[in-house]
Amino acid sequence: MTDLTRLTAAELSEKLASREVSSVEVTKAHLDRIAAVDGEIHAFLHISKDAIDTAEGVDVLRRTGSPLGPLAGVPIAIKDVLCTLDMPSTAGSRILEGWVPPYDATVVRKLRDANLIPLGKTNMDEFAMGSSTEHSAYGPTHNPWDLDRIPGGSGGGSAAAVAAFETPLALGSDTGGSIRQPAAVTGSVGVKPTYGGVSRYGAIALASSLDQVGPVTRTVLDAALLHDVIGGHDPRDSTSLRDEWPSFAAAARKGRENMSLKGVRVGVVKELDAPGFQPGVSQRFHETLDLLQKNGAEIVEVSAPNFEYAVAAYYLILPAEASSNLAKFDSVRFGLRVNPVGGGTVEDVMAATREAGFGAEVKRRVILGTYALSAGYYDAYYGSAQKVRTLIQRDFASAFALADILISPSAPTTAFKIGEKIDDPLAMYLNDVTTIPANLAGIPGMGLPMGLAPEDGLPTGLQLMAPARADARLYEHGAAIEALLEESWGRTLLSQAPELATR
Ligand code: GLN
C-alpha cells in the first residue's frame, strides 16, 4: 500500500474525494509518523487529541454526500504563534506556557470550516524572533536533512514537520522571512502573502506592520490550495484587504501544465545576488537562471540600491513594534505569574514575571525597541528607519516597472549547525537579507527548492517576489519553475532527503 505520508495534499485530496482512502486512515498515518520520528525532529510542541475524531466527522460528512472543499480531511500542522481554542498556544515562550486561548485565530477557524484536520502546534523561536528555532523556550527543532543542523526560523517546526513527512501542510508566519528561510533550508515550499491578504486576527503579534500568515508545504500547488482556504477579507483585522482574490490553485495548475516562462520578464535583483553568499547557493541560483532563460524567460538585471539598508531598518522597526506588542505580557492578563521572593509591588511582580518568562533574544529586542522609541531618539532611529522603508518600496516599484517577477536565493546559506550562531545575534540577523525587503514593502514572496548545494548536499531555496496583490503570479510562475527544476533533477528534492530512523 502507498505510504500516505509521502503524498502531497493535492494527491490526498483526490484519494479522499474518490473514497479510495478515508481521512481517519490519512490522519492515523501522519500521527504514526509523528510518533516514529518527532522524538528526533522535535517539530511539535503539542499534538492534538481530537485529530482522529475530527477526521471521523469528515468521513461521515463525505459518506453522507455533504459538499466538501478540496482539502477536507487533509491533516495540517499549525505554528504555535496562532491561537487555537482547543490547544495551548505558547508562541515558543515560557511566559505563555500552558495558555489556552479563548478563541481561534481567523485562519484556524477557516481551516476548521474547510474541514482540514489540525494535528498539533509546531515549535518556533520565541515570539517568532529568530532564524533557527534555537530561541524556542522548549528546545530546538532539528533539520530532517541533518539532525545536527537548524531547520531555519522562526517557523522551523512547521518546515521540519513538512520536510519530515509528518504533515503535508502547515501554517507559518513571516515577519522578516520566517516562512521562506525555513522552507529554503529544509527543501520545502513557503509563501508570504501580500500584506493584508491573510488575516492576522489571533496571530500573536510580533511586528504588526510586517507580520503575515502563510502556507508551508512540499509543492507550490499545495501552498496554493491552502492559500485559497486561509485568504480573504476579515472584518476583525483592520489591515485586511477587501480584494476578490483569484483561485491560486488554478494559477498553480496553469503554471505546472504550461511549464514555460515564455515572455515572462524575470528580474534579478543585483543586490540580492551577493558575493558573500555560500558558493553552492550562488551556483544553483545561476544554473536556475539559465534554465529559466532556456524556457522562454527574459532575464533582466534590476538594481535596488536601498536594500543595503533593509536589515538595519528592519531591526529598528521590528523591535519598536515588538516592544509595544509584548507589553501586554504583564503577569496579569496571560500565562505566567512570578511572585518575587519576600513579596513586592505590582511592578515588582511584572518585572519578576518578565525576567523569568522571556528569553534573551526577546529581552534584547524589547530593550532595543524601547530605546529606539524613546523621546530623544525617536526621529533619529525609528523615524529614519521608516524613511528607509519608503525608499525600499520605491526600489521595488522601479524594479517591477522592468520585470514581472523578481528572483533571488531565499537564504544566503544552507542550514548551519545548531549552536553555530546562537551567541552572535548579528550573524543570525544577516540570514534575513534576502527576505526582509518583501516584508518592508508588503509584497508577496515565495520560497521553493532550488537544488542541493554541491559542497554540503543540503537544500538551497529560490525566492520569487511579485507586486502587492499579484500573489497569483507567484503561484503560476512558481509552479512552472518547480516543474522545470524537478524535470532537471528527475525527482523531487525532498525524495532525496536521508531516511530518518523510526522508533
Ligand atoms: N529572522 C527574522 C527575525 O528574527 C524573521 C522573523 C520572522 O519572520 N518572524 O526577526
Side-chain angles (χ1 to χ4, degrees), residues 128-131 153-154 173-178 206 314-315 318 365 432:
M129 299 179 186
S131 304
S154 63
S173 68
D174 190 312
T175 306
S178 285
L206 170 54
Y314 172 90
Y315 278 100
L318 178 139
R365 294 199 196 188
D432 309 330

Side-chain angles (χ1 to χ4, degrees), residues 79 81 124-132 135 152-155 173-182 192 206-207 210-212 314-315 318-319 361 365 428-432 435-436 439:
K79 188 177 180 183
V81 76
M124 55 183 284
D125 285 299
E126 186 173 7
F127 289 109
M129 299 179 186
S131 304
S132 68
H135 292 306
S154 63
S173 68
D174 190 312
T175 306
S178 285
I179 289 176
R180 289 161 288 158
Q181 182 260 5
K192 180 201 96 67
L206 170 54
L210 301 162
D211 298 344
Q212 263 301 280
Y314 172 90
Y315 278 100
L318 178 139
E361 182 62 21
R365 294 199 196 188
M428 196 72 97
Y429 297 171
L430 286 171
N431 272 293
D432 309 330
T435 46
I436 279 174
N439 299 79

Side-chain angles (χ1 to χ4, degrees), residues 11-21 62 68-70 72:
E11 289 163 346
L12 289 170
S13 164
E14 278 177 25
K15 288 193 189 294
L16 286 162
S18 68
R19 296 181 42 192
E20 190 185 327
V21 294
R62 197 175 309 270
L68 293 171

Side-chain angles (χ1 to χ4, degrees), residues 330-346:
D330 58 4
S331 79
V332 178
R333 284 174 277 199
F334 309 91
L336 187 73
R337 176 175 303 168
V338 176
N339 289 306
V341 193
T345 63
V346 173

Side-chain angles (χ1 to χ4, degrees), residues 71-336:
L71 293 181
V74 178
I76 185 162
I78 301 170
K79 188 177 180 183
D80 209 29
V81 76
L82 294 163
C83 287
T84 44
L85 254 177
D86 53 350
M87 292 185 274
S89 304
T90 68
S93 183
R94 199 58 76 191
I95 212 160
L96 282 178
E97 191 165 8
W99 181 62
V100 183
Y103 62 95
D104 272 335
T106 295
V107 287
V108 172
R109 190 183 45 72
K110 287 186 177 212
L111 297 182
R112 299 194 206 275
D113 290 350
N115 298 109
L116 280 86
I117 315 294
L119 291 175
K121 305 296 290 286
T122 57
N123 199 14
M124 55 183 284
D125 285 299
E126 186 173 7
F127 289 109
M129 299 179 186
S131 304
S132 68
T133 314
E134 292 167 289
H135 292 306
S136 167
Y138 304 99
T141 296
H142 301 262
N143 191 320
W145 287 81
D146 175 348
L147 297 172
D148 294 333
R149 290 177 191 266
I150 59 104
S154 63
S158 283
V162 162
F165 300 93
E166 295 174 90
T167 178
L169 301 171
L171 285 182
S173 68
D174 190 312
T175 306
S178 285
I179 289 176
R180 289 161 288 158
Q181 182 260 5
V185 300
T186 58
S188 37
V189 173
V191 177
K192 180 201 96 67
T194 294
Y195 184 78
V198 175
S199 169
R200 290 184 296 108
Y201 178 77
I204 298 169
L206 170 54
S208 310
S209 76
L210 301 162
D211 298 344
Q212 263 301 280
V213 176
V216 182
T217 60
R218 290 193 293 266
T219 68
V220 173
L221 174 58
D222 281 2
L225 286 162
L226 182 52
H227 195 161
D228 283 338
V229 170
I230 60 172
H233 180 65
D234 179 10
R236 288 179 159 143
D237 172 356
S238 62
T239 60
S240 173
L241 295 169
R242 288 171 185 281
D243 297 42
E244 284 294 325
W245 298 92
S247 160
F248 298 125
R253 288 205 167 92
K254 184 174 163 203
R256 186 137 198 129
E257 247 156 61
N258 292 346
M259 262 178 85
S260 158
L261 290 143
K262 198 163 169 2
V264 183
R265 296 172 307 161
V266 174
V268 179
V269 188
K270 200 172 76 187
E271 289 76 7
L272 298 184
D273 183 14
F277 289 7
Q278 186 177 320
V281 170
S282 296
Q283 184 187 329
R284 291 296 177 236
F285 180 63
H286 286 273
E287 289 166 5
T288 305
L289 288 180
D290 291 343
L291 182 72
L292 301 189
Q293 197 161 23
K294 265 197 219 106
N295 286 280
E298 184 193 326
I299 307 287
V300 289
E301 190 187 85
V302 300
S303 174
N306 295 293
F307 281 19
E308 187 186 336
Y309 311 111
V311 172
Y314 172 90
Y315 278 100
L316 285 166
I317 293 168
L318 178 139
E321 293 188 21
S323 69
S324 160
N325 277 327
L326 296 187
K328 64 180 165 287
F329 300 106
D330 58 4
S331 79
V332 178
R333 284 174 277 199
F334 309 91
L336 187 73

